[in-house]
Amino acid sequence: KSTLACALSRELYCRGHLSYVLDGDNVRHGLNKDLSFKPEDLAENIRRIGEVAKLFADVGIIYIASLISPYRQDRDACRALLPENAFIEVISSLQMFLHIAFLNPDDFTDWTLHNT
């Protein structure tokens, strides 16, 4: 998931877009170091990441969260924080989730995301 997120970030940069990759493991060393892997802490982990994504989107930076998010309700809560169509969820064949927050998703209407 991190490799895909970094490749996407490089491609966005080549197309002139600012982006930031935040890997789930890195978040656990700082912002979420007080959380465990209990279901309620997993939900709080995703909630905090969603709030950070919203801050990045507010200033026009594409936020790529590379993490495992097992609960649909948590992903839906993050989606609700952002403008309509500004949250793109990519699910890999290994059931890992990549969340991308766009300030203006219309800039990316010509993109096709392939799930392999």
Side-chain angles (χ1 to χ4, degrees), residues 12 15 17 62 88 102-112:
L12 288 167
R15 293 182 183 214
H17 300 284
I62 299 166
I88 297 173
F102 292 108
L103 179 62
N104 185 358
D106 294 335
D107 290 343
F108 304 95
T109 55
D110 63 330
W111 286 42
T112 303

Side-chain angles (χ1 to χ4, degrees), residues 19-32:
S19 66
Y20 187 82
V21 176
L22 188 57
D23 183 85
D25 292 335
N26 292 338
V27 175
R28 290 217 169 255
H29 295 294
L31 178 67
N32 294 337

Side-chain angles (χ1 to χ4, degrees), residues 34-95:
D34 61 321
L35 300 177
S36 71
F37 288 94
K38 295 177 184 175
E40 60 272 14
D41 282 351
L42 292 174
E44 178 61 13
N45 180 55
I46 300 303
R47 188 198 69 76
R48 290 180 189 180
I49 290 169
E51 292 290 346
V52 172
K54 183 180 183 307
L55 294 172
F56 275 80
D58 286 347
V59 296
I61 298 173
I62 299 166
Y63 181 84
I64 305 167
S66 171
L67 46 92
I68 296 172
S69 177
Y71 306 116
R72 175 165 295 284
Q73 66 188 20
D74 297 338
R75 299 190 307 274
D76 289 345
C78 289
R79 184 179 285 109
L81 292 171
L82 299 164
E84 188 173 343
N85 298 320
F87 181 101
I88 297 173
E89 181 176 3
V90 177
I91 304 171
S92 79
S93 60
L94 296 175
Q95 297 302 307

